[in-house]
Amino acid sequence: MSGPTLRGVEQTVRYDLAGHVATITYDRPEKLNAIDGAMREQINAAFSRFRVDDEAWVAVVTGSGRAFCVGADMRSETGSAAGDFPGSFWERPTVNSFESGWEINKPVIAAVNGHCLGYGLTLVTWCDFVIASERATFGFPEVTVGIPTIVGAIRLPQKINWQYAMELLLTGERIDAARAKEIGLAGWVVPHDTLLDEARALAARLVRAAPLAARATKEMAVRAPGLGAVDAIRFGEAMRRVAAATEDAAEGAAAFRERREPVWRGR
């Protein structure tokens, strides 16, 4: 099913749910999926929907046409590509999107079908898995137009080697899919025509896991680096107790005893 068009504007983001896998498609191909104000609202609505939808366990994010997303639409007059920020000039609550730090503790797969620049690459740095088409390119061009990369500069050095991250951030140059895999930015490079099949095959593997256990595991992985060792273990053991009290935990134990496949319900 596709999400509704927001505020009567053209639909530029599609949300489709099938078998616990949500596919979020940036669908503004004539602009290479560049983000304007209206598209930003729809992107945020799609990720918000995925975050709260108990039937959506895994997301695949991709683009239509020949680009994944080329960043902000610099020529747009429909509002900020970053979204609306209440507050003063200096004090703005900028965590208002998945790219900027919304916590989504469900697995997210980026299926990068083409050019992935600026906001597009920032999104990729928040995804758990990156499958790239052989046609994909990656880059942060911001410094070449006189502006800094902020969230990308926070996230990219946490994902890949410092020198490779800084090369991308400080030159503004693009790399191809093969180089992205070589430096650890992409996990897989696949033929263009099989990209979505590969992403959905990975999603199918992920939905075999108990969804609440998977979310607790991802949250542990995300939070642990910011905690001391003892605090991380204490937090993890608390998460284990919560997860162990769920219906899915009881179902998993029963399925193991009965030598059958478990039936997860996400509760």
Side-chain angles (χ1 to χ4, degrees):
M1 56 183 176
S2 297
T5 300
L6 299 182
R7 298 186 182 180
V9 300
E10 179 186 3
Q11 185 171 342
T12 54
V13 178
R14 291 185 281 116
Y15 183 104
D16 301 286
L17 181 64
H20 300 301
V21 178
T23 301
I24 297 171
T25 306
Y26 290 13
D27 194 18
R28 199 181 180 216
E30 73 283 0
K31 296 292 186 179
L32 300 181
N33 299 321
I35 301 171
D36 62 3
M39 188 174 177
R40 166 58 58 197
E41 290 189 38
Q42 295 184 36
I43 292 171
N44 285 3
F47 278 109
S48 180
R49 180 176 176 182
F50 171 63
R51 182 168 56 171
V52 303
D53 187 350
D54 288 338
E55 293 302 308
W57 298 355
V58 176
V60 174
V61 187
T62 194
S64 63
R66 59 193 181 93
F68 179 78
C69 171
V70 296
D73 186 345
M74 304 293 285
R75 297 182 176 87
S76 172
E77 298 180 357
T78 67
S80 171
D84 295 326
F85 298 95
S88 72
F89 180 82
W90 292 110
E91 297 176 326
R92 296 185 172 193
T94 56
V95 178
N96 75 327
S97 67
F98 183 41
E99 298 104 307
S100 67
W102 271 357
E103 291 188 346
I104 298 181
N105 289 318
K106 302 177 182 181
V108 181
I109 302 166
V112 183
N113 55 296
H115 304 306
C116 177
L117 309 173
Y119 276 132
L121 184 48
T122 299
L123 173 70
V124 162
T125 66
W126 286 91
C127 292
D128 304 293
F129 306 92
V130 181
I131 303 177
S133 157
E134 60 197 349
R135 301 179 189 175
T137 64
F138 301 82
F140 279 118
E142 286 89 334
V143 294
T144 66
V145 294
I147 57 178
T149 303
I150 301 302
V151 179
I154 295 168
R155 290 289 299 169
L156 191 62
Q158 298 179 41
K159 302 285 284 188
I160 64 174
N161 175 279
W162 173 269
Q163 294 179 95
Y164 299 149
M166 298 310 289
E167 182 182 20
L168 280 171
L169 290 164
L170 299 183
T171 67
E173 296 170 356
R174 301 187 192 186
I175 59 173
D176 62 15
R179 178 60 175 165
K181 184 176 186 298
E182 183 181 7
I183 66 176
L185 181 56
W188 301 265
V189 176
V190 300
H192 183 77
D193 291 341
T194 68
L195 176 65
L196 282 180
D197 290 338
E198 296 285 353
R200 287 169 180 152
L202 175 56
R205 292 167 56 201
L206 293 169
V207 298
R208 293 183 62 193
L212 299 182
R215 292 176 213 174
T217 301
K218 178 176 174 179
E219 183 166 5
M220 191 71 242
V222 169
R223 293 190 184 280
L227 301 172
V230 173
D231 287 341
I233 292 170
R234 288 178 65 87
F235 175 73
E237 289 304 324
M239 294 291 286
R240 188 199 304 276
R241 285 179 174 268
V242 171
T246 64
E247 292 181 24
D248 278 355
E251 164 64 10
F256 180 81
R257 290 193 302 270
E258 297 163 14
R259 298 184 180 182
R260 60 173 174 81
E261 288 294 317
V263 179
W264 308 125
R265 303 191 181 281
R267 57 177 184 259

